[in-house]
Amino acid sequence: MVESMAVVAIREYDAERDRVGAEAVERMCEVGHSGGAMSLFTDLLGDPLCRVRHSPPFLMLVAELVSGPERAIVGLVRGCIKTVACGSPLLLPSPAKHHTAPAVPIYAKVAYLLGLRVSPAHRRRGIALKLVRRMEEWFKEKGAEYAYMATEKDNEASFRLFTGRCGYSKFRNPAILVHPVFAHRLPLPPRVAILRLTPADAEALYRRRFAATEFFPRDIDAVLANPLSLGSFLAVPAGCSAAARWEGAGAFLADPPASWAVASVWNSKEVFRLEVRGAGRWRRGLARASRAVDRALPWLRIPSVPDLFRPFGLYLLYGVGGEGPAAAAHVRALCGHVHNMARADPGCRVVAAEVAACEPLREGIPHWGRLSCAEDVWCVKRLAEEYSDGSLGDWTKALSPPSIFVDPREF
């Protein structure tokens, strides 16, 4: 039994001395979300920093038990800081025939707190609170104006800690939409052309069209250039001028087709693995049977269920956006294209996207409800007493926008 007066020190993570202990805490605190009788668990790939090292600056703190005969890591937390769009006070008119000019964004320096873990034997001793407060001190030292975190709506302990003791408030409720990768290719609509964008064209399109979208990262160029970003893709009508001859993002935006959509792909398979647990034998048997029938009768194109009961990876769609009456249909074509990409990658068994609860393009993102999370919870806290831009006001009180930009580095 742990003594009630055990002394815990909060300090920065040292990979050489702390890795084994941090990994042990991660294993003891596997997390996931429930879907009926099943749960989807997350497992990092042996690198405790893998979920933040792509978002400089970042920090990882550990809670070390320093009293008693042996020292041990009993808790940890990660944090990173970036500059994101948090709204727009202005919408400029434009002479272009298909659209208005992009809104002028207001940016804020925002910190993201994730991966809070405390070993089961040391909970209810204030360790999580100490980790959060020490991380917030670092956020303030770096000039962060806000901090936010994400948790499952059913994670009552986490929700109570952040909203009840740490001063966070419920802010956004995005949905995580997950679709399995089948053994066969999905047919793509012949009336839609899929174009691969260069990172420069993708950056130009995102900055011109979506820079004012809430949580849009100011360093989108770094996101698109990251080795884990597998490409950006544009869906347009097959007969439009852009499909016939691509002349760059500038020319496209000067005269876009009536409907189009864009999305980028992030290889989360190299960051963490997932695993479905708690499924009964009959569910596992049905999944195996669907794969067996699909292998025997491939011409039927049965949507067989991949093996999700062993660790597997995923591709994440990020930067999902578009314009026009058929934009959702174009998003669906992009999802099919990414599915076919994932199909060729061993170990990648699902494609996921995280979008705002009221995202207009959500209907174009295919997903299975049992694998998805209909309501994630983002909570936010104001850290700075003064704002970098006085016209912003208090972002924590802003109404929910129709769209948000989910940074794949923090998924």
Side-chain angles (χ1 to χ4, degrees):
M1 179 178 294
V2 179
E3 296 180 4
S4 59
M5 298 302 292
V7 179
V8 173
I10 308 298
R11 59 172 176 80
E12 186 173 347
Y13 169 78
D14 183 310
E16 185 173 336
R17 61 187 282 203
D18 299 331
R19 181 163 182 164
V20 173
E23 290 175 359
V25 172
E26 286 284 356
R27 286 192 297 272
M28 286 187 285
C29 305
E30 286 182 309
V31 295
H33 72 262
S34 298
M38 300 188 297
S39 296
L40 188 62
F41 282 84
T42 304
D43 178 34
L44 300 180
L45 298 180
D47 179 4
L49 288 172
C50 64
R51 289 192 64 193
V52 290
R53 67 168 64 256
H54 297 284
S55 301
F58 63 84
L59 178 69
M60 179 169 168
L61 298 174
V62 296
E64 182 181 30
L65 186 65
V66 295
S67 62
E70 295 183 3
R71 296 190 171 215
I73 302 299
V74 296
L76 52 90
V77 70
R78 306 167 183 86
C80 53
I81 301 173
K82 60 183 178 179
T83 300
V84 304
C86 51
S88 172
L90 188 64
L91 185 65
L92 300 176
S94 169
K97 61 183 179 180
H98 289 307
H99 60 272
T100 58
V104 177
I106 293 178
Y107 289 101
K109 200 168 186 179
V110 176
Y112 182 50
L113 195 151
L114 71 161
L116 177 62
R117 308 279 188 264
V118 176
S119 63
H122 295 85
R123 291 174 183 170
R124 300 183 182 278
R125 300 177 185 274
I127 296 174
L129 182 61
K130 290 180 180 179
L131 285 165
V132 171
R133 286 179 173 168
R134 181 65 63 83
M135 184 63 76
E136 288 180 346
E137 291 176 6
W138 180 74
F139 290 160
K140 293 177 182 179
E141 291 172 3
K142 295 296 183 180
E145 299 168 79
Y146 296 92
Y148 78 104
M149 49 76 67
T151 188
E152 292 290 329
K153 67 175 183 178
D154 297 328
N155 191 339
E156 295 182 3
S158 176
F159 194 76
R160 285 197 306 270
L161 171 67
F162 282 96
T163 61
R165 304 190 67 185
C166 297
Y168 288 70
S169 57
K170 190 175 178 181
F171 191 53
R172 299 292 180 254
N173 293 101
I176 302 175
L177 309 178
V178 181
H179 191 273
V181 175
F182 303 134
H184 53 79
R185 290 178 58 84
L186 296 182
L188 302 181
R191 295 184 179 182
V192 177
I194 306 294
L195 310 179
R196 186 186 183 97
L197 301 177
T198 65
D201 276 334
E203 179 187 353
L205 191 152
Y206 280 128
R207 290 197 189 278
R208 291 275 298 276
R209 275 291 170 273
F210 307 110
T213 301
E214 199 174 66
F215 288 99
F216 179 85
R218 200 169 201 169
D219 64 340
I220 184 64
D221 54 331
V223 178
L224 296 169
N226 192 290
L228 296 180
S229 193
L230 300 180
S232 300
F233 302 91
L234 182 69
V236 297
C240 75
S241 59
R245 182 180 179 183
W246 179 254
E247 297 181 339
F252 173 79
L253 292 172
D255 186 22
S259 296
W260 57 272
V262 65
S264 299
V265 187
W266 187 266
N267 186 7
S268 296
K269 185 171 71 74
E270 302 304 321
V271 180
F272 57 82
R273 295 284 193 269
L274 300 173
E275 181 180 354
V276 173
R277 297 180 183 175
R281 290 184 178 180
W282 68 276
R283 290 188 187 274
R284 293 172 179 264
L286 285 176
R288 285 194 298 269
S290 71
R291 295 194 296 273
V293 173
D294 194 22
R295 286 194 297 269
L297 306 171
W299 59 88
L300 293 179
R301 306 184 69 83
I302 296 172
S304 56
V305 181
D307 187 358
L308 304 179
F309 309 111
R310 293 183 295 114
F312 62 89
L314 69 85
Y315 281 179
L316 174 71
L317 271 77
Y318 71 96
V320 178
E323 294 178 356
H330 285 64
V331 167
R332 183 172 292 274
L334 288 172
C335 291
H337 177 74
V338 175
H339 169 279
N340 293 341
M341 287 176 56
R343 174 180 170 272
D345 188 341
C348 185
R349 301 191 190 115
V350 300
V351 173
E354 187 168 14
V355 297
C358 52
E359 168 61 57
L361 301 179
R362 180 173 173 172
E363 64 182 77
I365 303 175
H367 61 281
W368 282 19
R370 190 168 290 276
L371 297 177
S372 302
C373 175
E375 186 179 347
D376 203 12
V377 179
W378 289 8
C379 297
V380 69
K381 176 181 180 178
R382 176 185 170 185
L383 298 177
E385 295 186 5
E386 295 183 1
Y387 299 100
S388 59
D389 188 322
S391 65
L392 172 63
D394 190 348
W395 187 24
T396 66
K397 296 179 173 59
L399 297 176
S400 297
S403 301
I404 58 175
F405 195 104
V406 175
D407 193 326
R409 297 171 296 187
E410 299 167 1
F411 180 75

